[in-house]
Amino acid sequence: MESYSRFTDLRLPAIYEKVKAEERLTFDEGVALYESPDITGVGFIANHVREQFNGNIAYYNINQHIDYSNVCILHARCHFCAFARKNMQTEGAWEMSVDEFLDKAMYSIEHGCTEIHSVGGLHPKLPFDYYLDIIRGLKERMPQVHLKFFTAVEIHHFSRIFKMSIEEVLRQLKDAGLDSLPGGGAEVFAEATREKICPGKLSAAGWLEVHDIAHRLGIPTNATMLYGHLESNEDRVAHLIQLREQQDKSGGFVTFIPLAFHPANTRMAYLSSTSGLTDLRNIAVARLMLDNLPHIKVYWIMTGLKTAQVALRFGADDIDGTVTEEKITHMAGADTPEAVSVDALTRLIEEAGFVPVERDTLYNEIIREGERWHRKAA
């Protein structure tokens, strides 16, 4: 029998035994992990699972973020948002034309990006062809680059205002060249808490439905959870279990990204920012509860680079990417850089004791030869 002297919480040895036996953790065990005073013990168990999934590899990618507009019909509803604006007459509002978007995306060609990530507000006036033309234009200019566009909330918005089914919206976007969906808009699924932080926003069931349909259409997606606001530990665990159940059902989630709430410049500015230990715990518990998701990403934009580095020993196997000009979190007061170099990311990974591997959005290894790149053959 392995010695459990490393654990100071007497609940953790039994959880560790279940994890080693590859048995699924329960709701109560998830809550126990969130409540445990032994954060290093929780991290140790999470690191065991992380190494079972991904060995000594830690991933990063070279990507570009472009937000097409921050005009949003829910500007007054999402109390945690510092990004949205009512209309173009509101100070700080913007919307990009198709040509402006395509021109800005040339950065991806010039800098060897393998992914463009784009989300926006729920714009009341842009036509559906606007979104299709951006996707088509990008695919014509850069067919190799993976296009990860539009949260489930945006997809539902398109369905409503353009009077199409969610399936038809996704089919047309996919036919235009959409490759995957990001995981934003999930926030926290617990309806009572969701009603306090974003009343009137797409429900948890609606978010899961969009991802379920995307998976059935062969569109992979990411999953997220916003933590550090009004949610309880029970809310967090229930959220993870619902994601786990959806993954059992449709199998299309690529990675999970816990998102730390940044309160500055929001209507919830009275709250404190998350601590490093809270960030690490959310990474670790996610790795332990989501036994059917292969990857857990630490989003350094929200946690900071130093915490992200430590998170690689708390269950995360992906440190995200170079990003370039992230706006949403920085408008909520993030003091992290808006971009980071490949050298900085690989140095952080190596210092943590892992082998850095550049990936594309779907975790295919990227091979670079001078200014050219390709995906490693399976």
Side-chain angles (χ1 to χ4, degrees), residues 45-292:
I45 303 172
N47 188 60
H48 168 83
V49 176
R50 178 244 193 276
E51 292 182 350
Q52 293 297 112
F53 270 105
N54 296 291
N56 69 336
I57 287 173
Y59 294 98
Y60 69 94
N61 73 335
I62 299 178
N63 59 343
Q64 181 182 12
H65 281 219
I66 309 175
D67 300 321
Y68 58 87
S69 176
N70 65 344
V71 174
C72 184
I73 62 173
L74 291 182
H75 69 280
R77 296 290 188 91
C78 291
H79 298 173
F80 56 81
C81 182
F83 175 75
R85 297 295 185 269
K86 181 178 181 179
N87 53 44
M88 283 300 293
Q89 286 68 53
T90 306
E91 183 180 359
W94 80 83
E95 60 185 38
M96 301 177 71
S97 70
V98 172
D99 286 341
E100 287 171 336
F101 193 107
L102 296 178
D103 289 345
K104 192 167 191 122
M106 290 306 294
Y107 176 98
S108 286
I109 294 292
E110 295 161 2
H111 292 81
C113 296
T114 63
E115 170 192 289
I116 295 177
H117 176 289
S118 182
V119 298
L122 307 186
H123 199 293
K125 295 183 178 180
L126 291 173
F128 194 45
D129 281 345
Y130 168 87
Y131 307 102
L132 295 175
D133 287 346
I134 286 177
I135 297 289
R136 292 192 191 107
L138 290 171
K139 278 302 178 186
E140 289 172 4
R141 294 189 184 197
M142 49 193 83
Q144 268 193 302
V145 175
H146 184 106
L147 305 182
K148 185 173 70 179
F149 278 51
F150 312 128
T151 66
V153 181
E154 290 165 272
I155 297 297
H156 178 267
H157 174 67
F158 299 159
S159 171
R160 188 179 63 81
I161 66 171
F162 302 127
K163 296 180 170 50
M164 293 188 287
S165 68
I166 289 169
E167 180 170 341
E168 181 58 26
V169 169
L170 288 169
R171 283 190 185 279
Q172 289 201 37
L173 290 170
K174 183 181 180 182
D175 288 346
L178 177 74
D179 293 305
S180 69
L181 301 183
E187 320 317 353
V188 67
F189 290 154
E191 289 300 341
T193 305
R194 195 178 186 86
E195 188 63 19
K196 292 176 183 176
I197 65 171
C198 52
K201 193 168 189 174
L202 179 66
S203 67
W207 188 96
L208 290 164
E209 179 189 18
V210 171
H211 285 263
D212 183 70
I213 294 170
H215 296 170
R216 288 194 276 111
L217 294 175
I219 302 171
T221 74
N222 289 345
T224 64
M225 177 179 71
L226 184 70
Y227 67 90
H229 44 90
L230 304 181
E231 86 286 359
S232 65
N233 288 333
E234 289 78 8
D235 290 344
R236 295 172 179 175
V237 177
H239 185 106
L240 295 173
I241 288 176
Q242 285 180 266
L243 290 176
R244 189 171 71 183
E245 290 172 347
Q246 181 62 53
Q247 184 74 340
D248 282 342
K249 177 182 176 183
S250 59
F253 289 130
V254 177
T255 187
F256 173 73
I257 311 107
L259 300 175
F261 174 54
H262 282 252
N265 303 321
T266 76
R267 275 166 285 172
M268 299 172 73
Y270 57 88
L271 295 176
S272 300
S273 298
T274 62
S275 68
L277 290 182
T278 297
D279 295 334
L280 294 174
R281 189 184 298 274
N282 275 279
I283 290 283
V285 178
R287 179 62 287 168
L288 291 168
M289 296 301 295
L290 298 176
D291 53 36
N292 53 4

Side-chain angles (χ1 to χ4, degrees), residues 322-335:
T322 52
V323 176
T324 308
E325 202 179 75
E326 191 278 342
K327 292 183 181 295
I328 295 174
T329 308
H330 285 90
M331 290 177 73
D335 57 6

